[in-house]
Amino acid sequence: MSATAGVPSAVAVYCGFRPGGRPAFRAAAVEFGALLARQGVSLVYGGGGRGMMRAVADAVLDAGGTVIGVIPESLVAAEEAHTGLRPGTSGSRLEIVASMHERKARMLALADACAVLPGGMGTLDEMFEVLTWAQLGIHEKPCGMINVEGYFDALLRFLDEAVAQGFVSETDHARLRVASSPEALFALLS
Ligand code: AMP
């Protein structure tokens, strides 16, 4: 599926619908989006028009890249679906799907790697679904996160505890690749 061996052709990014409390969160989203566009890698995301989601999408568009948003019909208004994803030379588009489940399945189908940036419950739900589906052998797509300013530290400590207590295998734990910068994450996904 990759355009070049090892380099993904499309990355699904999961991140907050809100901007979060630190400027570094948005900065990481912008930097990662610009990096994807520079590398010729398409962004697949939830199609939202606010917060971290909007920041990463706009960074890709501003750098001339391709953005595919996937949003359930019921959330088009609530999540202020991005109005700039029109088919053009870049191939950007907004796909409107019937349900949340369809959104998640479609996003994963369109991408060949997954990236997690700071976000809330929705972001975590999406990340764990990608990881558990990998654990079940449903896909083999790499999944990594940018632990911006330690935002995910507590979650990563909990996952260590889950391994220590025998609920998560070392192999499954290692499926979540952790990077401290957009460049480092891109390298981990390639
Ligand atoms: P959040 O991280 O909570 O700001 O949410 C980020 C994105 O995840 C938003 O587009 C939400 O619509 C989406 N989301 C929220 N809950 C779920 C869920 N259960 N499954 C999939 N996506 C979700």
Side-chain angles (χ1 to χ4, degrees), residues 15-18 53 75 79 100 103-104 119-123 125-126:
C15 58
F17 178 64
R18 298 184 172 108
M53 295 173 73
L75 287 182
E79 293 200 348
M100 214 60 158
R103 176 203 243 178
K104 287 196 283 191
M121 299 268 207
T123 302
D125 175 272
E126 290 163 321

Side-chain angles (χ1 to χ4, degrees), residues 9-142:
S9 55
V11 171
V13 173
Y14 306 108
C15 58
F17 178 64
R18 298 184 172 108
R22 295 188 195 173
F25 299 154
R26 184 177 186 282
V30 169
E31 207 181 314
F32 192 64
L35 179 59
L36 291 180
R38 278 202 306 278
Q39 298 287 340
V41 177
S42 300
L43 167 71
V44 177
Y45 90 116
R50 290 185 55 189
M52 293 285 286
M53 295 173 73
R54 175 71 186 238
V56 68
D58 282 352
V60 174
L61 294 174
D62 288 348
T66 300
V67 177
I68 303 167
V70 183
I71 194 164
E73 197 164 13
S74 60
L75 287 182
V76 166
E79 293 200 348
E80 298 170 29
H82 201 301
T83 54
L85 306 182
R86 299 195 184 85
T89 48
S90 77
S92 293
R93 64 182 187 272
L94 183 69
E95 294 190 6
I96 298 176
V97 296
S99 68
M100 214 60 158
H101 288 111
E102 204 181 317
R103 176 203 243 178
K104 287 196 283 191
R106 181 69 179 147
M107 284 177 66
L108 189 58
L110 285 169
D112 38 25
C114 303
V116 181
L117 275 64
M121 299 268 207
T123 302
L124 296 175
D125 175 272
E126 290 163 321
M127 180 187 84
F128 279 115
E129 183 162 298
V130 166
L131 292 170
T132 52
W133 284 15
Q135 187 174 297
L136 294 170
I138 295 170
H139 71 87
E140 292 183 352
K141 300 177 184 187

